[in-house]
Amino acid sequence: MARVGGGDVEIGGLPAPAGDPRQRVIAADDSLDDDGKPRRTGTVWTASAHVITAVIGSGVLSLPWSVAQLGWVAGPVTLLLFALITYYTSVLLGDCYRSEDAVTGKRNYTYMEAVGSLLGKGQVWFCGLCQYVNLVGTAIGYTITASISAAALYKANCFHSKGHSADCGVYTTMYMVVFGISQIVFSQLPNLHEMAWLSILAAVMSFSYATIGVGLSLAQTITGPTGKTTIGGTQIGVDVTSAQKIWLTLQALGNIAFAYSYSMVLIEIQDTVKAPPAENKTMRKANLMGVSTTTAFYMLCGCLGYSAFGNDAPGNMLTGFGFYEPYWLIDFANVCIVVHLVGAYQVYCQPIYAAVESWAAGRWPNSEFVVRQYYPFSGKFSLNMFRLVWRTAFVIVSTVLAISLPFFNDILGLLGALGFWPLTVYFPVEMYISQSKMKKYSRKWVALQTLSFACFVVTVAVTVASIQGITQSLKNYVPFKTKL
C-alpha cells in the first residue's frame, strides 16, 4: 500500500527509491494532499464563512441584555476586550496547526491532536473534557435558541392579529423536536469538507438577522419610545438588588464570552484550508475577517439594542418582544436564526462525530457495521450504518437535554464560562509557548501567563454566577412545560 508523507512515498512500509516510477506516479496525483489524504480545497473565504458561522450564533441575541447589565462604559469596552483576546489567541492556535514548525511541521487534524502533539498525553484528557463538554453544551444551547426563534414566529403573528396584550404563549418542546429531526438528517453529511455550502448559507443568515436586529434597534432609538440607559447599566435599588447586580454582571460576561467562542473548532476549520499558502497565514486572515466582522455587528447589536430597550432589555432581542412590528420582518429574522443554527450546530458537532467514529474504526477495524460505506445516490453521498445510528442517538440525547433545561441566558453564560479560559486562552497559550520554545520567565512568557491567569479568574467567577442563575430558574420550572 502506498501513502504520501513528508514528501516521500512508502510502499510496503518502506520508502520507495527516489527514482522509482511509483514515486513519480503518486507525486503526480494532484488529488492527494501532503499526507496522502484527499486534497483540501478551502480558501480564506470558506474559512471565514466557517468562522462567522461558528462565532455569530445565539450569543448575539443576548448582547443588548449583557450591555444593559454593564452600562455604556463597561459594555462596549468588554466587547472589544473579548474580541482582542479571541483574535490574539486564535492566531496563536492557528500557528499550532502543524507541530514543531507552523509551515512545514506535521499536521494536526483536531484540537485534541494538537494538544497531544505539543503538550503531551497528560493534557489531552483535560482538553477533551473541556472541548466535548462545551461542544455538547453548544448543541444543547443552539437547540434551545432555534426552538425559541421558531416559536417566536407563531407569537409575532399572534400579536399582530390579536393585539400586543393577547395571550400568545406557546410551548417550545414541539419546536425542539422538529429542530432535532432536521439535525438527524444533516448529521449524515460525513465531515466539514462536505459542508462548505451549509456554512456559507448559515453565514448569510447570521448577517441577515444581525442586520435586522441592528436596523430595528436603530429605528426604535430614533423614533422612540426608548428605555432608560445609564453609565453603569442596571441600577441597584431601582432595577436590581446589590446581590443581583453582581450575579447578573458576571452572567453578562459569560454571555459575551460565549458570543465569541469558536476556538474549539478552529483546528478543524483550518484543516479544510488548502496549501500553499501556509495554512496559518490563510487562517490568520480568516480569523481577522471573522472576528472583526462579528465584533462590528456585536457592537451595533449590543449598543443599539441597549439604546432602544434601556435597562429593561430582554434576554433575547428578537424573541423577547421588545419589537412587535413590522411583524413580517421579525418573522424573517427568526427564520434566518433557525437556518443559521442548523448550520452552526453541524460546525460544532462535527468534531464530536469525528472523534467517536475514529475511535470506533480503530477499535473495530474489521466490522462492516463500523467501517463499510454505502453509496445509495450514484456515489455522490456515502452512508455508514454506525454513523447513522450514533449520530442519530447523539441528536436525540442533546434534544432531550435541551427540552429539560431551556434557560437561554443562564445556559449561554455557563457555556461561555466553561469554554473561555481552557479552550480560548489556556491551551493556545501553552501550545504556542511549547512550539516556539519560549524561554521561561521571559517578558513574553510572563505576559502570556498573566493573560491566562486573569482569564481563569473571570471563568471561575462567571461559572459560579451562571450556576446560581440556573439554580434560581429551576425553582419555578416545570419540566417539559416551558412557554415562550
Side-chain angles (χ1 to χ4, degrees):
M1 181 176 180
R3 73 175 179 85
V4 178
D8 295 324
V9 178
E10 291 186 5
I11 301 174
L14 298 173
D20 194 300
R22 291 168 294 184
Q23 177 84 282
R24 292 193 297 272
V25 170
I26 302 235
D29 189 349
D30 290 335
S31 67
L32 298 179
D33 223 321
D34 61 352
D35 58 352
K37 294 187 176 183
R39 184 170 293 280
R40 297 160 295 164
T41 58
T43 65
V44 65
W45 296 106
T46 60
S48 298
H50 284 312
V51 170
I52 292 171
T53 300
V55 179
I56 297 184
S58 53
V60 69
L61 305 173
S62 68
L63 292 180
W65 178 86
S66 299
V67 175
Q69 311 314 311
L70 299 169
W72 278 123
V73 176
V77 169
T78 302
L79 284 169
L80 286 174
L81 188 59
F82 273 91
L84 291 172
I85 292 172
T86 300
Y87 172 69
Y88 180 67
T89 56
S90 295
V91 170
L92 299 184
L93 183 57
D95 286 344
C96 299
Y97 170 67
R98 290 182 180 267
S99 302
E100 298 178 359
D101 185 273
V103 177
T104 61
K106 174 184 171 295
R107 284 166 55 190
N108 297 301
Y109 304 111
T110 66
Y111 196 116
M112 287 181 62
E113 189 173 332
V115 171
S117 297
L118 292 164
L119 300 180
K121 292 183 179 180
Q123 295 269 25
V124 172
W125 290 103
F126 177 47
C127 174
L129 177 65
C130 295
Q131 185 180 18
Y132 293 120
V133 165
N134 197 269
L135 290 171
V136 172
T138 300
I140 295 169
Y142 280 4
T143 303
I144 295 170
T145 308
S147 68
I148 291 173
S149 292
L153 291 169
Y154 167 82
K155 289 192 71 172
N157 289 280
C158 176
F159 284 134
H160 177 72
S161 60
K162 298 181 180 180
H164 298 172
S165 59
D167 181 11
C168 294
V170 58
Y171 291 109
T172 59
T173 301
M174 176 185 69
Y175 297 100
M176 293 189 192
V177 171
V178 173
F179 182 81
I181 292 172
S182 72
Q183 291 304 330
I184 289 174
V185 174
F186 282 108
S187 289
Q188 299 314 309
L189 294 172
N191 50 53
L192 274 177
H193 298 277
E194 307 291 334
M195 293 172 56
W197 64 271
L198 185 59
S199 279
I200 292 171
L201 175 62
V204 171
M205 294 296 101
S206 65
F207 273 118
S208 299
Y209 71 72
T211 301
I212 291 170
V214 169
L216 290 173
S217 298
L218 180 60
Q220 182 86 357
T221 300
I222 293 173
T223 61
T226 58
K228 179 184 178 183
T229 63
T230 58
I231 295 296
T234 51
Q235 294 179 294
I236 297 174
V238 177
D239 305 302
V240 292
T241 65
S242 56
Q244 288 175 326
K245 179 69 175 179
I246 295 172
W247 292 124
L248 293 176
T249 296
L250 291 173
Q251 288 175 28
L253 293 178
N255 276 240
I256 293 173
F258 177 79
Y260 278 108
S261 63
Y262 77 102
S263 296
M264 72 284 291
V265 294
L266 187 147
I267 294 292
E268 284 79 359
I269 292 173
Q270 190 162 343
D271 192 48
T272 68
V273 174
K274 65 182 178 181
E279 299 93 346
N280 65 328
K281 293 182 179 179
T282 300
M283 203 63 200
R284 186 170 300 186
K285 294 178 182 178
N287 285 325
L288 181 60
M289 290 174 63
V291 173
S292 59
T293 300
T294 53
T295 300
F297 275 107
Y298 284 2
M299 292 292 287
L300 290 170
C301 285
C303 295
L304 285 175
Y306 180 46
S307 175
F309 302 124
N311 294 339
D312 294 325
N316 185 318
M317 70 184 298
L318 289 175
T319 63
F321 287 93
F323 302 117
Y324 289 94
E325 300 292 343
Y327 78 99
W328 58 267
L329 186 60
I330 296 169
D331 282 353
F332 178 69
N334 281 298
V335 168
C336 290
I337 292 170
V338 174
V339 173
H340 169 251
L341 293 181
V342 168
Y345 185 103
Q346 289 301 315
V347 170
Y348 277 95
C349 288
Q350 285 294 329
I352 304 174
Y353 297 157
V356 172
E357 288 155 22
S358 177
W359 170 81
R363 179 69 176 80
W364 299 288
N366 299 318
S367 169
E368 286 198 3
F369 177 77
V370 173
V371 301
R372 184 174 179 180
Q373 300 292 328
Y374 299 88
Y375 296 90
F377 304 108
S378 302
K380 294 182 179 180
F381 176 75
S382 65
L383 182 66
N384 172 266
M385 297 310 297
F386 177 76
R387 184 168 71 229
L388 176 64
V389 173
W390 133 248
R391 295 190 183 189
T392 299
F394 174 85
V395 174
I396 291 173
V397 171
S398 65
T399 302
V400 170
L401 289 174
I403 294 171
S404 304
L405 294 169
F407 311 127
F408 180 74
N409 292 100
D410 296 328
I411 292 294
L412 293 195
L414 181 60
L415 292 174
L418 293 177
F420 176 63
W421 174 70
L423 298 174
T424 302
V425 181
Y426 172 73
F427 283 116
V429 165
E430 293 300 318
M431 285 192 287
Y432 180 77
I433 288 174
S434 173
Q435 186 184 59
S436 62
K437 298 178 175 57
M438 190 179 299
K439 188 176 180 181
K440 200 171 185 179
Y441 303 117
S442 66
R443 184 177 298 177
K444 190 170 184 178
W445 184 92
V446 171
L448 288 172
Q449 295 295 352
T450 301
L451 172 65
S452 182
F453 178 74
C455 292
F456 171 73
V457 172
V458 171
T459 286
V460 171
V462 173
T463 300
V464 173
S466 298
I467 292 173
Q468 188 272 345
I470 293 173
T471 302
Q472 291 297 315
S473 298
L474 283 171
K475 290 182 178 180
N476 301 315
Y477 170 61
V478 179
F480 306 104
K481 290 188 178 294
T482 300
K483 267 191 173 184
L484 176 62

